[in-house]
Amino acid sequence: MMHRRGNEASLRYEARRQREDESPRLHAEVPTLESLKLEIEERRGNASNPETTYIRRIVVESAPALFALVCGERDCEDGGHDITYAVMAGLRRGSTKFEGEDVCHGSVRTTTCGRVLHYKATATYRP
Ligand SMILES: [Zn+2]
């Protein structure tokens, strides 16, 4: 059982890495982007206070144009937050501050995960 899970995890990791490798680079998509910071808050679906908060600084020169964040729920399977579309839309608009939410659709044992991720993006651009 443990063995099978381990294999699945490494397969998922491989798929994720492959996707990152195949994605266009961020600087190619938004050439004027100078810096990007994401403030992430995660909470369980029914809680009002965030359980996890962290800041992710994106290395603009080398990062892929892909924002797929893992779910913070330990037992969540096939979950995660792909905010690529929303973040890229904000950057293409040239927004310096924008935010949004994403609900995890993974499963925790017999129910859906439903963990809510809230992100606040702060970006700067070259003139
Ligand atoms: Zn989840």
Side-chain angles (χ1 to χ4, degrees):
M1 193 66 189
M2 285 306 286
H3 186 65
R4 207 176 75 96
R5 266 190 82 95
N7 273 346
E8 277 173 11
S10 72
L11 278 178
R12 269 204 292 271
Y13 175 77
E14 274 303 309
R16 188 184 153 94
R17 217 183 52 180
Q18 196 180 358
R19 228 186 120 199
E20 284 185 358
D21 286 348
E22 286 168 357
S23 285
R25 298 294 101 179
L26 191 53
H27 68 84
E29 294 289 299
V30 191
T32 55
L33 184 65
E34 191 173 45
S35 75
L36 176 62
K37 182 179 81 174
L38 293 175
E39 284 172 65
I40 309 289
E41 275 184 10
E42 267 191 36
R43 57 184 161 81
R44 286 176 197 266
N46 54 1
S48 53
N49 291 327
E51 206 170 81
T52 312
T53 60
Y54 60 95
I55 292 180
R56 214 167 144 167
R57 283 173 214 282
I58 311 299
V59 183
V60 175
E61 291 75 28
S62 58
L66 178 74
F67 300 93
L69 307 172
V70 293
C71 178
E73 174 62 56
R74 207 156 35 102
D75 295 327
C76 180
E77 279 191 51
D78 297 322
H81 304 277
D82 190 342
I83 54 172
T84 303
Y85 184 80
V87 171
M88 290 312 293
L91 297 178
R92 288 202 180 97
R93 277 200 308 271
S95 301
T96 52
K97 278 191 196 310
F98 55 94
E99 57 188 286
E101 269 187 355
D102 186 74
V103 178
C104 180
H105 294 289
S107 49
V108 178
R109 289 173 290 272
T110 54
T111 57
T112 52
C113 173
R115 213 172 155 94
V116 180
L117 175 138
H118 185 97
Y119 66 90
K120 258 189 233 169
T122 308
T124 61
Y125 303 85
R126 274 183 281 273

